[in-house]
């Protein structure tokens, strides 16, 4: 084939361009640290990467939901712990009343004490985090008035912790302290101590019974208080169970995220050693091409003619 | 036969070598001229006489100045140009679009969509929270803006393509006019028996240039003139007359149609009502070249992406509104739209005009929380958040919003990669053809310099023969004296 200087020049330009393109590509990968820098670099991997990104993003969102739910549940647990302590005291006072003598001082002392304890239970029932009342269900108003009338809703605040699966982040206040909405009937005689228990109503009944020196009423109230304490303990156990579920889920998401990030990095992160070796190969080749082009394009018969 | 014959032979040598040196000079001068084909001097000896009793030539004469040219290569170059330029045009447009869909290195529509549904998740954990409601509204605005931005990028590329048509057709008409002119000159030169080599080079170069714009069919007449037809059979150049190819704004589609007048020199005036339509919207598939590629981008590639975006916006508006309007806002209202139900395209999507932070309907009545729902009711917020991960019926099958968008990004990637590969192959193919053409037709300085020396020496030789003849004549004349 006949070769002309123009062909050599064209060829040199084309090949130098190819060399530059290859080096540019490697340089981009090394500088950005990413193998895929635009969808057309590798459309299939792009889709996988986007899928991974979405899963990682969803994991982040669920983690944030779980943190919020944990916060609500831990505040709920603190309030429930307080309530359980108060119930111990109520039970003790009721127990003292049934065994001891009911003189006026004791009665007024016990009644005062019980009224205080009831108020404290109501205060705990009105526990707030931010602007959310944790026992008010969907309502955003103070759920218990000073008399213990429950005005919240019995709904569960469900929070999504993984695709399609939710967890309740609250305890229904009406069921907890009033045995339901409307309040359950205060148990007397045969029905005493059956759940659900209207704890606040039973304390009122206890106060009335103490004031009336009604021994049968006080014994009923003791049974009711015991069942009420159990009701709160059950709620605590329930909350604890949910907290465990949240912790497990959080750990699972974390380990999932790690795996996903690992896969993402595996697909997307540049293997610097490999890229470095390729770059040095390419630049050697490019250097050679440059030097050959520089030498060859100077060759001309003109230099040898007089 | 006498000494005079020696003069004749030598002078024919001198003039032949001089002409050869002229041709060599022309070649050297045009070493960098685009489309120039090197010329070779073909010498032959003059008729033989037998004056001496045996046959001897009477010197040298130039048989022809031949143009080194391969018609087959020219044809392949013409075809190769059309498909290469088509891929290149599409590649340039797609590379402009691709950054808008590059979710990998930057946050785009996919991320905005994810954030939008994430904001509903956040709201579900605190349905009455002002901060959460505000965050939802601003993320929705970002989502809407991103839709607009991606769509306007696409629309912009389509608009640019449409505008480019004006320039492409003008250049094509210009080439056609020049070709008709070159045809005229070829005819004139040939009619007086002249050498039209350079004109033929110009003709071929113009044909190659035209083939970059659009696929052409060329027919060469025996008189050296070229006629050009478009893929649809429309005559662009016929001998010495040519047609005007031009754009005309179509009121219906608001895009340019490509029209062509009849041939003539000068061609008849443009008459959009009566001229042949080369390509209306959606009809440029077979044109190839820059023109075909540009039409394809405007009529096929971009509309397809935009219709997918529109479909996504439409589904989002419909699905979100359907769920949202069932819920109750903080102000106790229901039936509120989240997005404006009229804005069902990527360009038109917007938040409902009446939507306020309080009207964001997170609540849905339950058995224990009847109407009016409480401010802490998160049932509807949860359902809305779930829309982000639930399947929606798209025209391409059921997919989540994120999945549908991923498929779109994948398609942009595949399309771009495909045209990149096509134009790389096209470039390599053309390089090969050009190398073959160069090998055949291009001027080699080394070769010309060698020829120069060769002809120069031959010139000197012929001159020496004249010297010898002069000496001989002197001697003969001296004998007489």
């Amino acid at each position: 084939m006949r070769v002309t200087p123009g062909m050599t020049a064209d060829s040199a330009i084309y090949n130098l361009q190819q060399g530059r393109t290859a080096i540019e590509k490697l340089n981009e990968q090394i500088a950005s640290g990413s193998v895929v820098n635009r969808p057309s670099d590798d459309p299939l991997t792009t889709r996988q990467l986007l899928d991974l990104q979405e899963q990682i993003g969803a994991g982040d969102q669920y983690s944030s939901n779980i943190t919020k739910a944990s916060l609500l549940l831990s505040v709920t647990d603190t309030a429930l712990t307080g309530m359980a302590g108060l119930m111990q005291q109520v039970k003790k006072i009721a127990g003292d009343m049934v065994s001891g003598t009911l003189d006026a001082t004791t009665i007024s002392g016990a009644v005062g004490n019980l009224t205080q304890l009831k108020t404290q239970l109501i205060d705990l029932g009105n526990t707030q985090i931010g602007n959310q009342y944790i026992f008010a269900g969907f309502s955003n108003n103070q759920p218990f008035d000073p008399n213990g009338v429950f005005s919240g809703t019995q709904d569960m605040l469900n929070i999504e912790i993984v695709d399609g699966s939710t967890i309740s982040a609250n305890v229904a206040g009406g069921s907890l302290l009033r045995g339901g909405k409307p309040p359950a009937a205060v148990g007397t005689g045969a029905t005493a101590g059956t759940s659900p228990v209207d704890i606040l109503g039973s304390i009122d009944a206890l106060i009335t019974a103490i004031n009336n020196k009604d021994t049968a009423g006080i014994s009923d109230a003791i049974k009711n208080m015991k069942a009420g304490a159990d009701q709160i303990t059950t709620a605590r156990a329930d909350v604890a169970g949910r907290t465990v579920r949240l912790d497990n889920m959080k750990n699972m998401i974390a380990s999932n995220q790690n795996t996903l990030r690992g896969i993402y990095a595996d697909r997307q992160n540049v293997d610097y050693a490999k890229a470095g070796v390729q770059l040095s190969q390419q630049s050697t080749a490019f250097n050679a091409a440059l030097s050959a082009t520089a030498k060859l394009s100077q060759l001309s018969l003109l230099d040898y003619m007089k | 036969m006498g000494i005079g014959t020696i003069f004749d032979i030598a002078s024919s040598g001198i003039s032949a070598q001089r002409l050869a040196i002229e041709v060599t000079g022309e070649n050297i001068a045009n070493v960098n001229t685009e489309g120039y084909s090197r010329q070779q001097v073909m010498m032959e000896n003059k008729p033989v006489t037998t004056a001496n009793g045996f046959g001897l030539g009477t010197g040298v004469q130039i048989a022809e100045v031949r143009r080194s040219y391969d018609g087959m290569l020219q044809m392949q170059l013409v075809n190769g140009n059309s498909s290469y330029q088509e891929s290149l045009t599409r590649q340039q447009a797609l590379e402009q679009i691709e950054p808008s869909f590059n979710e990998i290195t930057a946050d785009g529509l996919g991320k905005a969509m994810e954030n939008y549904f994430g904001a509903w998740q956040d709201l579900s954990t605190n349905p009455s929270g002002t901060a959460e409601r505000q965050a939802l509204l601003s993320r929705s605005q970002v989502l809407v803006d991103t839709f607009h931005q991606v769509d306007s990028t696409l629309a912009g590329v389509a608009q640019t393509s449409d505008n480019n048509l004006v320039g492409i057709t003008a250049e094509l008409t210009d080439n056609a006019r020049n070709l008709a002119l070159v045809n005229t000159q070829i005819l004139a030169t040939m009619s007086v028996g002249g050498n039209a080599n350079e004109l033929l080079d110009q003709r071929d170069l113009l044909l190659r240039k035209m083939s970059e714009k659009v696929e052409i069919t060329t027919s060469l007449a025996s008189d050296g003139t070229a006629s050009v037809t478009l893929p649809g059979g429309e005559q662009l150049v016929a001998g010495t007359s040519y047609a005007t190819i031009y754009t005309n704004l179509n009121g219906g589609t608001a895009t340019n149609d490509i029209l062509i007048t009849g041939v003539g020199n000068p061609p008849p005036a443009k008459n959009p009502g009566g001229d042949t339509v080369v390509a209306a919207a959606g009809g440029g598939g077979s044109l190839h070249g820059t023109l075909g590629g540009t039409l394809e981008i405007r009529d096929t590639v971009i509309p397809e992406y935009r219709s997918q975006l529109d479909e996504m916006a439409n589904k989002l508006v419909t699905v979100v509104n359907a769920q949202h309007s069932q819920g109750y806002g903080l102000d106790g209202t229901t039936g509120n739209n989240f997005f404006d139900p009229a804005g069902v395209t990527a360009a038109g999507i917007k938040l409902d005009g009446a939507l306020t932070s309080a009207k964001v309907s997170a609540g849905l009545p339950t058995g224990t929380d009847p109407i009016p729902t409480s401010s802490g009711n998160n049932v509807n917020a949860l359902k809305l958040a779930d829309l982000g991960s639930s399947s929606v019926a798209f025209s391409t099958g059921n997919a989540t919003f994120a999945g549908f968008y991923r498929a779109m990004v994948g398609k942009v990637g595949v399309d771009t990669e495909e045209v990149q590969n096509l134009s790389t192959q096209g470039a390599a193919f053309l390089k090969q053809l050009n190398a073959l053409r160069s090998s055949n037709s291009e001027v080699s300085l080394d070769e010309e310099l060698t020829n120069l020396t060769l002809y120069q020496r031959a010139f000197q030789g012929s001159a020496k023969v004249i010297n010898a003849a002069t000496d001989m004549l002197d001697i003969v004349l001296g004998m007489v004296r």
Side-chain angles (χ1 to χ4, degrees), chain A residues 15-290:
Chain A
N15 288 322
L16 288 180
Q17 195 58 44
Q18 298 283 314
R20 277 234 184 269
T21 311
I23 287 180
E24 171 62 24
K25 179 107 192 143
L26 280 171
N27 181 35
E28 184 187 36
Q29 289 193 348
I30 290 170
S32 68
S34 309
V35 178
V36 181
N37 286 293
R38 60 188 65 74
S40 59
D41 283 349
D42 187 344
L44 194 69
T45 307
T46 301
R47 282 188 71 165
Q48 290 172 340
L49 288 177
L50 290 184
D51 193 36
L52 289 168
Q53 268 182 2
E54 192 208 354
Q55 289 186 45
I56 293 170
D60 287 343
Q61 181 64 46
Y62 289 132
S63 294
S64 135
N65 287 2
I66 287 174
T67 309
K68 190 75 202 295
S70 297
L71 180 66
L72 285 169
L73 282 180
S74 73
V75 173
T76 308
D77 188 54
T78 313
L80 288 175
T81 312
M83 287 180 182
L86 294 174
M87 288 308 286
Q88 289 295 337
Q89 297 183 41
V90 174
K91 263 170 31 186
K92 183 171 180 303
I93 292 169
D96 288 350
M97 286 300 112
V98 82
S99 53
T101 49
L102 295 175
D103 59 63
T105 332
T106 326
I107 288 173
S108 78
V111 167
N113 236 334
L114 284 172
T115 314
Q116 278 305 317
L117 290 171
K118 185 190 162 194
T119 314
Q120 284 183 42
L121 274 176
I122 290 172
D123 285 349
L124 283 176
N126 287 335
T127 304
Q128 226 182 337
I129 166 170
N131 55 356
Q132 283 173 290
Y133 287 94
I134 53 174
F135 293 109
F138 283 167
S139 167
N140 238 37
N141 301 317
Q142 191 165 305
F144 293 98
D145 72 359
N147 294 322
V149 177
F150 179 70
S151 61
T153 79
Q154 291 280 74
D155 293 280
M156 288 296 166
L157 184 73
N158 287 326
I159 290 177
E160 196 162 11
I161 52 166
V162 69
D163 193 18
S165 171
T166 56
I167 199 165
S168 310
N170 66 336
V171 168
S175 303
L176 183 71
L177 292 181
R178 301 308 306 258
K181 186 187 179 185
V186 175
T188 51
T191 61
T194 53
S195 39
V197 185
D198 175 2
I199 294 175
L200 297 178
S202 300
I203 293 176
D204 286 340
L206 177 60
I207 291 171
T208 317
I210 291 171
N211 277 332
N212 295 343
K213 299 180 184 168
D214 171 4
T215 328
I218 294 174
S219 340
D220 285 348
I222 288 175
K223 288 180 191 161
N224 283 337
M225 285 310 122
K226 194 172 173 309
D230 287 350
Q231 190 163 297
I232 285 171
T233 314
T234 312
R236 279 184 71 189
D238 181 26
V239 167
R242 283 188 253 160
T243 311
V244 170
R245 192 178 152 208
L246 281 182
D247 284 347
N248 285 343
M249 195 50 77
K250 187 158 196 164
N251 290 338
M252 210 177 93
I253 288 176
S255 97
N256 229 335
Q257 297 280 80
N258 270 340
T259 315
L260 291 174
R261 289 208 166 92
I263 300 173
Y264 189 88
D266 194 37
R267 293 257 199 290
Q268 176 68 316
N269 288 4
V270 167
D271 178 349
Y272 280 104
K274 196 172 141 198
V277 170
Q278 283 178 344
L279 184 66
S280 97
Q281 279 175 347
Q282 286 290 351
S283 51
T284 309
F286 190 57
N287 258 324
L290 282 176

Side-chain angles (χ1 to χ4, degrees), chain B residues 19-321:
Chain B
L19 186 76
I21 288 175
E22 268 177 41
V23 170
T24 308
E26 171 81 356
N27 280 343
I28 292 175
N30 283 297
V31 66
N32 290 326
T33 305
E34 192 187 5
Y36 180 80
S37 303
R38 76 192 160 102
Q39 301 182 35
Q40 283 167 296
V41 176
M42 295 294 150
M43 298 184 187
E44 61 183 14
N45 67 340
K46 276 187 165 176
V48 175
T49 62
T50 48
N52 295 325
F54 54 89
L56 183 67
T58 50
V60 67
Q61 67 183 11
I62 304 292
E64 118 184 79
V65 178
R66 183 186 292 168
R67 167 171 172 255
S68 269
Y69 166 81
D70 187 336
M72 185 68 190
L73 275 177
Q74 160 77 7
M75 210 172 75
Q76 282 188 312
L77 272 170
V78 163
N79 292 340
N81 267 335
S82 301
S83 47
Y84 170 62
Q85 290 295 334
E86 182 186 10
S87 322
L88 198 64
T89 309
R90 287 177 55 195
Q91 183 191 349
Q92 284 161 355
L94 280 166
E95 282 177 349
Q96 283 176 50
I97 296 170
E98 199 184 11
S100 294
F101 291 94
N102 194 353
E103 281 303 309
I104 295 179
T105 51
D107 291 347
L109 194 53
K111 187 71 184 173
M113 191 75 88
E114 185 186 320
N115 283 342
Y116 171 70
F117 287 112
W120 279 111
Q121 292 274 8
D122 288 340
L123 184 64
S124 78
T125 65
N126 185 11
S128 63
T130 323
E132 281 85 351
R133 281 171 181 267
Q134 209 48 56
L136 173 67
L137 286 183
S138 48
R139 282 181 175 188
S140 315
Q141 195 55 52
V142 170
L143 175 64
V144 165
D145 290 346
T146 314
F147 262 115
H148 294 174
Q149 191 258 323
V150 175
D151 190 68
S152 75
T153 307
L154 288 175
V157 173
Q159 186 59 49
T160 312
S161 299
D162 196 45
N163 293 343
N164 285 347
L165 291 175
V166 180
I168 296 169
T169 48
E171 219 171 317
L172 200 50
T173 307
D174 199 42
N175 288 339
R177 181 171 50 240
N178 286 340
L179 183 59
L181 185 67
V182 168
N183 278 342
T184 317
Q185 291 169 345
I186 289 173
L187 272 183
T189 314
M190 293 290 211
S191 67
V192 295
N195 181 346
N197 281 352
E198 275 89 352
L199 289 169
L200 295 180
D201 283 343
Q202 281 183 33
R203 180 198 70 191
D204 291 345
L205 181 64
L206 278 171
L207 288 174
R208 286 204 296 276
K209 281 196 186 302
M210 289 168 91
S211 71
E212 289 176 1
K213 311 282 182 314
V214 65
E215 187 179 288
I216 54 171
T217 312
T218 317
S219 57
L220 296 180
S222 55
D223 57 11
T225 58
S227 296
V228 173
T229 48
L230 298 180
E234 299 88 355
Q235 193 84 30
L236 186 56
V237 178
T240 56
S241 49
Y242 63 100
T244 305
I245 184 163
Y246 63 101
T247 54
N248 182 52
L249 192 65
N250 183 325
T253 54
T255 52
N256 281 313
D257 288 348
I258 312 288
L259 277 75
I260 190 167
T261 64
V263 291
N265 198 354
K270 296 174 187 172
N271 170 20
D275 285 338
T276 315
V277 177
V278 177
S286 61
L287 287 177
H288 304 289
T290 323
L291 191 62
T294 309
L295 285 169
E296 225 171 310
I297 286 293
R298 187 194 72 181
D299 297 338
T300 314
V301 178
I302 304 256
E304 192 183 330
Y305 294 148
R306 286 187 77 186
S307 79
Q308 290 196 356
L309 268 188
D310 285 350
E311 184 178 2
M312 194 159 109
N314 186 1
K315 290 284 175 198
L316 183 73
V317 170
T318 327
V319 170
V320 168
N321 276 351

Side-chain angles (χ1 to χ4, degrees), chain B residues 311-374:
Chain B
E311 184 178 2
M312 194 159 109
N314 186 1
K315 290 284 175 198
L316 183 73
V317 170
T318 327
V319 170
V320 168
N321 276 351
Q323 187 61 50
H324 189 261
S325 59
Q326 291 176 29
Y328 287 77
L330 279 183
D331 57 0
T333 55
T334 184
N336 297 318
N337 281 320
F338 192 90
F339 294 107
D340 186 341
V344 289
T345 59
I349 186 172
K350 61 176 181 194
L351 298 187
D352 194 73
L355 188 74
T356 59
S357 167
K359 281 199 163 41
V360 169
S361 308
L364 196 67
T366 63
T368 43
D369 186 33
I371 303 166
T373 55
S374 311

Side-chain angles (χ1 to χ4, degrees), chain B residues 448-468:
Chain B
E448 300 303 328
L449 288 169
T450 314
N451 283 343
L452 189 64
T453 317
L454 198 68
Y455 296 136
Q456 206 180 341
R457 290 297 174 200
F459 186 90
Q460 283 176 351
S462 292
K464 196 75 190 167
V465 171
I466 291 183
N467 272 346

